[in-house]
Amino acid sequence: MNEDMIQHYRGILEGVGENPGREGLVDTPKRAAKAMQYLCQGYGQTVEQVVNGALFESDNDEMVIVRDIELYSMCEHHMLPFIGKAHVAYIPTGKVLGLSKVARIVDMFARRLQIQENMTKQIADAIMQVTNAAGVAVVIEAQHMCMMMRGCEKQNSVMTTSVMLGEFRDSYNTRQEFLQLIRGR
């Protein structure tokens, strides 16, 4: 456990006018530090570790989609959560990625201080790098607590970001098929 982080959380409690020695808060700095380490565990991971060799030969050259991958991240501007889902597609060129690895790549980038726009691109670039796909598409829809709990306090706003690479960028029909399939719930 990072003792410096625990002390910083104790200071935050004091800074907001709380007594970190009171019964309900005695262990809060330690719990908060442990939670933050968990929420930011993506910093300690690499794409290679996450994929762990789970790339398999395949004759399939049709679109593979994993949709509705729930994600939990932290806004790097306010350190408040944003929560949503990712839809990831790729067009294989001889190899397919183990199904759970797509979700694990999403988690690896979500478990860092982030902005949604960058995270969307990081996921797309990682899938492209690992699979050498003909194309990759990523759409993320998320609600940001920094907009809901403070500032403009818009409770129903959803941010949508997308990154289209290769065939998804070059072919209108391929892009439309992907968008139709993730909307056709």
Side-chain angles (χ1 to χ4, degrees), residues 153-177:
E153 297 184 25
K154 300 301 176 204
Q155 302 308 304
N156 297 306
S157 62
V158 176
M159 181 179 188
T160 303
T161 52
S162 70
V163 170
M164 307 286 168
L165 303 175
E167 289 294 317
F168 290 96
R169 179 180 283 272
D170 298 338
S171 169
Y172 174 82
N173 290 336
T174 302
R175 183 170 49 255
Q176 288 308 305
E177 178 184 353

Side-chain angles (χ1 to χ4, degrees), residues 10-92:
R10 186 169 284 111
I12 289 169
L13 289 173
E14 291 169 348
V16 298
E18 265 294 355
N19 171 9
R22 80 171 169 83
E23 182 182 354
L25 295 177
V26 170
D27 291 327
T28 296
K30 182 192 268 185
R31 286 191 300 264
K34 187 175 181 180
M36 184 59 76
Q37 287 178 322
Y38 179 81
L39 294 173
C40 293
Q41 67 184 323
Y43 289 117
Q45 299 174 312
T46 67
V47 173
E48 293 75 21
Q49 290 169 328
V50 168
V51 171
N52 194 27
L55 204 57
F56 307 103
E57 299 287 331
S58 175
D59 292 336
N60 180 35
D61 61 358
E62 296 293 328
M63 191 181 305
V64 174
I65 301 174
V66 184
R67 72 175 199 206
D68 296 326
I69 303 166
E70 64 268 2
L71 64 87
Y72 308 92
S73 193
M74 300 275 287
C75 161
E76 69 184 35
H77 299 137
H78 302 100
M79 293 181 69
L80 290 172
F82 62 95
I83 300 164
K85 54 190 168 187
H87 314 289
V88 178
Y90 68 98
I91 301 171

